[in-house]
């Protein structure tokens, strides 16, 4: 998140971990823009922040040409801010998966060519029966999968037509913010062949500025799961290779 309040600290930490693969997490909702609000008045609210209602924003992106022009300018500014860090771009995605929006995705593909874009996250999570014990929850996940299918199918076609790499699936979308050790080990035990992304929000605890939609996230549990010996043993047991988008 190049517009995040802790971006300077994040970049400094990454520079000490050259083996870590870093992506640009575009922020177009629930956050602050890279450009001055006066340059993108139709994208931000009166406080100069992106609005939290992605449905309204998405409709405006579809039907208002001036919004699309401002959107392109903001996306370019965030790509440029990432380039200024000097980090190698492994992949791109968007906060709250807004790159599923056809207009946003097409702008990412077009603008990303100027910044060495090679890979984009495909936020497609298969429903794993082994993760769900409740039939109502299983039904909810299957319904959500159907709702997203058209957008995901279009995204996959656009990425492949533009020769951009992508993961085949993610895990953690349905359990966003609650991927504890047990769930993580269950996922690792059922990974199919191919490139999968484990989708987590690790932190040592909550912080005052955490957005409302993540207020109940178990940040510390996800952090501890990622470094737990059980997870390492599962990775070794099932011969899982840890990699980046451009090394698989």
């Amino acid at each position: 998140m190049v517009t995040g309040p802790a971006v300077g600290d994040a970049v400094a930490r990454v520079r000490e971990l050259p083996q870590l693969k870093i992506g640009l997490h575009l922020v177009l909702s629930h956050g602050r823009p890279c450009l001055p609000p006066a340059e993108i008045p139709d994208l931000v609210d009166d406080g100069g922040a992106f609005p939290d209602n992605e449905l309204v924003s998405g409709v405006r992106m579809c039907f208002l040409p001036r919004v699309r022009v401002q959107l392109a300018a903001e996306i370019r500014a965030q790509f440029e801010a990432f380039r200024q860090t000097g980090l190698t771009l492994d992949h791109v995605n968007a906060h709250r998966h807004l790159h599923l929006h056809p207009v946003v995705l097409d702008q990412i593909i077009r603008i990303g060519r100027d910044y060495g874009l090679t890979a984009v996250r495909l936020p497609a999570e298969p429903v794993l029966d082994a993760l769900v014990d409740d039939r109502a929850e299983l039904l909810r996940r299957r319904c959500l999968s159907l709702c997203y299918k058209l957008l995901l199918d279009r995204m996959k076609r656009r990425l492949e037509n533009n020769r951009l790499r992508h993961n085949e699936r993610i895990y953690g979308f349905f359990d966003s913010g609650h991927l504890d050790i047990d769930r993580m080990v269950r996922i690792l035990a059922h990974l199919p062949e191919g490139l999968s992304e484990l989708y987590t929000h690790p932190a040592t605890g909550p912080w005052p500025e955490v957005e409302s939609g993540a207020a109940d996230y178990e940040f510390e549990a996800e952090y501890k799961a990622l470094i737990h010996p059980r997870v390492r043993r599962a990775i070794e047991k099932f011969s899982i290779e840890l990699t980046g988008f451009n090394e698989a």
Side-chain angles (χ1 to χ4, degrees), residues 1 65 72 87 136 150 175 179 206 233:
M1 285 182 168
L87 301 175
L150 287 177
D175 296 288
L179 210 57
R233 287 196 296 269

Side-chain angles (χ1 to χ4, degrees), residues 11-218:
V11 171
R13 291 172 185 269
V14 168
R15 286 178 176 152
E16 296 178 1
L17 299 166
Q19 77 279 13
L20 191 63
K21 309 304 175 186
I22 303 300
L24 169 59
H25 193 63
L26 286 165
V27 176
L28 301 167
S29 68
H30 291 76
R32 310 293 301 188
C34 201
L35 291 174
E39 294 184 20
I40 49 171
D42 296 298
L43 290 182
V44 297
D45 58 23
D46 293 340
F50 293 117
D52 295 346
N53 192 323
E54 290 93 355
L55 178 59
V56 172
S57 298
V59 171
R60 287 166 58 80
M61 291 172 188
C62 283
F63 296 106
L64 296 178
R66 69 179 186 276
V67 173
R68 292 196 294 274
V69 170
Q70 294 173 30
L71 175 69
E74 176 62 25
I75 290 175
R76 182 172 292 278
Q78 292 192 33
F79 266 103
E80 181 62 31
F82 186 95
R83 180 159 69 181
Q84 292 300 318
T85 68
L87 301 175
T88 299
L89 180 65
D90 182 66
H91 64 282
V92 170
N93 52 58
H95 193 41
R96 300 180 70 87
H97 306 295
L98 201 57
H99 61 304
L100 271 171
H101 191 296
V103 174
V104 175
L105 177 66
D106 289 350
Q107 296 281 22
I108 289 172
I109 292 173
R110 180 179 65 82
I111 295 166
R113 297 181 193 280
D114 298 333
Y115 294 90
L117 177 66
T118 57
V120 175
R121 170 195 283 164
L122 183 71
E125 180 167 13
V127 178
L128 279 182
D129 291 4
L131 274 180
V132 186
D133 300 319
D134 181 74
R135 295 182 67 179
E137 174 61 17
L138 190 62
L139 178 62
R140 184 188 75 86
R141 295 185 180 207
R142 287 176 175 165
C143 289
L144 275 174
S145 293
L146 287 174
C147 290
Y148 282 110
K149 188 176 188 308
L150 287 177
L151 288 173
L152 287 166
D153 286 349
R154 180 192 184 274
M155 173 182 275
K156 187 174 181 179
R157 287 195 306 272
R158 291 287 291 135
L159 295 178
E160 292 178 351
N161 288 343
N162 284 274
R163 296 176 181 168
L164 290 169
R165 299 185 182 195
H166 61 82
N167 54 306
E168 295 172 54
R169 63 199 73 82
I170 63 170
Y171 291 98
F173 174 74
F174 291 127
D175 296 288
S176 191
H178 306 284
L179 210 57
D180 58 19
I181 295 168
D182 290 335
R183 289 178 182 274
M184 199 173 290
V185 170
R186 279 185 178 185
I187 289 170
L188 294 173
H190 291 85
L191 280 184
E193 293 290 328
L195 183 63
S196 298
E197 181 182 2
L198 200 59
Y199 170 76
T200 63
H201 300 81
T204 53
W207 57 98
E209 300 85 4
V210 64
E211 63 187 64
S212 58
D216 68 334
Y217 279 18
E218 299 172 272

